[in-house]
């Protein structure tokens, strides 16, 4: 009869050879820090666009032009775009990792999240910073009042 | 010294379990109760908001095509169906944001984890207050728009 030897518990593992960046930890932290920023950014956004005044009924091109006449909402929307999209994409990454067990499916989904995030960040940022409040192709009556009369 | 490391199998006095089993069958994988349901709701709302955000960035980008194109898109947001959609969006974000703050308190505040249940009740109460504050405004805006009081 052989004696089974059970190793002593709580003996330390051999230390890893090289310490790498713990990306999961930084992702975890990012979800929480961006969450704090998003509370302010999102509720400010929703209050101005949905709740105050006539709510969504007062939004049109001229309304946007009015908001973007000062840097305040340009900065606000930039922060909102980047924080929210990266937060959402990283959350979706977690969910894909939880449920997509087949290697190929997981690859495809994770790639789709990454590509769509990069494309939308670039698109959204370009839209914010190339916005023209008085474009030449505007139909009559769509421009804000501060545009020069044609 | 296997005697020391493995411990003995002598019968221990059976302590009364402090954690009560759930009254109803709660499945085998998760434990049910507010801990699980808060997470389920957080996940569902997170995914919903994410897909809305994808669409919302695209529809807002139309503002760079022409004012009339943008106005046509944003007019869709003023229809009754989208009006209810906006209400649903605020309900979803309201829960996700409040429960997100609860998660942050549980993770970083020494007291948070112990009182996660109380925190969940507070989340639900604040959520109700938030929705009760917004829903009447939104519903009156839907009615005003539908009954021919177009954009202010
Ligand atoms: C309003 C402020 C917000 C707060 C305070 C917040 C908070 C959080 C926190 C703390 C987590 C991490 C959960 C965990 O690691 O276990 C999380 C997850 C997540 N969030 Fe948010 N969030 C906010 C807004 C958003 C927005 C705008 C989106 C969508 C674009 C979003 C989508 C997600 C998704 C998809 C997850 C992953 C859910 C899961 O793993 O179950 N969140 N949120």
């Amino acid at each position: 009869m052989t004696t089974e030897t059970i190793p002593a518990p709580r003996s330390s593992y051999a230390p890893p050879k090289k310490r790498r960046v713990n990306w999961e930890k930084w992702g975890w932290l990012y979800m929480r820090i961006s969450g704090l920023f998003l509370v302010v950014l999102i509720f400010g956004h929703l209050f101005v666009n949905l709740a105050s005044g006539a709510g969504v009924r007062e939004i049109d091109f001229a309304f946007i032009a009015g908001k973007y006449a000062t840097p305040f909402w340009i900065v606000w929307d930039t922060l909102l775009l980047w924080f929210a999209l990266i937060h959402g994409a990283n959350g979706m990454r977690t969910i894909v990792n939880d449920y997509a067990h087949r290697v190929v499916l997981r690859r495809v989904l994770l790639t789709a999240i990454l590509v769509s995030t990069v494309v939308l960040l670039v698109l959204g940022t370009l839209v914010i910073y190339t916005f023209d409040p008085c474009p030449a192709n505007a139909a009559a009556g769509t421009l804000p009042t501060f545009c020069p009369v044609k | 010294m296997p005697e020391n490391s493995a411990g003995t199998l002598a019968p221990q006095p059976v302590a009364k379990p402090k954690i009560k089993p759930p009254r109803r069958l709660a499945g085998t994988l998760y434990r049910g109760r507010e801990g699980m349901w808060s997470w389920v709701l957080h996940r569902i709302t997170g995914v919903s908001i994410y897909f809305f955000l994808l669409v919302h960035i695209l529809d807002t980008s139309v503002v760079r095509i022409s004012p009339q194109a943008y106005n046509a898109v944003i007019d869709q947001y003023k229809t009754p169906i989208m009006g209810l959609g906006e209400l649903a969006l605020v309900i979803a974000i309201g829960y996700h944001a409040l429960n997100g703050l609860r998660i942050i308190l549980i993770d970083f505040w020494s007291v948070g984890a112990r009182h996660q249940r109380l925190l969940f009740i507070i989340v639900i109460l604040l959520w109700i207050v938030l929705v009760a504050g917004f829903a009447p405004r939104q519903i009156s805006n839907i009615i005003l728009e539908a009954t021919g009081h177009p954009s202010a």
Side-chain angles (χ1 to χ4, degrees), chain A residues 31-32 35 38-39 42 84 87-88 91-92 94-95, chain B residues 42-43 46-47 49-50 53 96-97 100 103:
Chain A
M31 293 308 274
R32 279 137 186 88
L38 284 171
V39 171
I42 290 181
H87 176 106
M92 293 300 288
T94 303
I95 294 174
Chain B
H42 197 81
R43 188 157 268 200
V47 173
I49 303 163
Y50 177 74
L53 178 61
H96 191 94
I103 294 173

Side-chain angles (χ1 to χ4, degrees), chain A residues 32 51 57 61 98 130, chain B residues 43 64 71 107 137 145 149:
Chain A
R32 279 137 186 88
R57 296 191 300 135
F61 183 86
D98 275 357
T130 66
Chain B
R43 188 157 268 200
R64 276 298 284 121
N71 288 352
D107 287 343
R137 296 190 78 93
E145 185 74 19
H149 297 71

Side-chain angles (χ1 to χ4, degrees), chain B residues 7 18 34 36 38 43 45 51 60 64 67 69-70 73 82 86 92 95 108-109 111 116 120 125 133 138 140 143 150:
Chain B
K18 284 212 184 93
E34 58 297 316
M36 181 186 99
S38 64
R43 188 157 268 200
T45 52
F51 283 111
T60 301
R64 276 298 284 121
Y70 180 74
V73 169
M82 280 302 280
E86 286 140 26
Y95 175 79
F108 292 106
W109 187 32
V111 181
Q116 63 88 15
F120 184 67
L125 290 179
Q138 180 67 8
S140 78
I143 294 171

Side-chain angles (χ1 to χ4, degrees), chain B residues 12-73:
Chain B
Q12 303 284 319
V14 181
K16 240 190 157 189
K18 284 212 184 93
I19 301 169
K20 283 192 224 125
R23 251 167 279 138
R24 278 172 291 121
L25 198 61
T28 53
L29 192 48
Y30 299 110
R31 306 310 298 267
R33 298 183 178 249
E34 58 297 316
M36 181 186 99
W37 294 112
S38 64
W39 169 80
V40 168
L41 260 184
H42 197 81
R43 188 157 268 200
I44 293 173
T45 52
V47 173
S48 318
I49 303 163
Y50 177 74
F51 283 111
F52 169 76
L53 178 61
L54 298 187
V55 175
H56 188 47
I57 295 170
L58 289 173
D59 69 56
T60 301
S61 298
V62 175
V63 84
R64 276 298 284 121
I65 296 176
S66 74
Q68 51 277 24
Y70 180 74
N71 288 352
V73 169

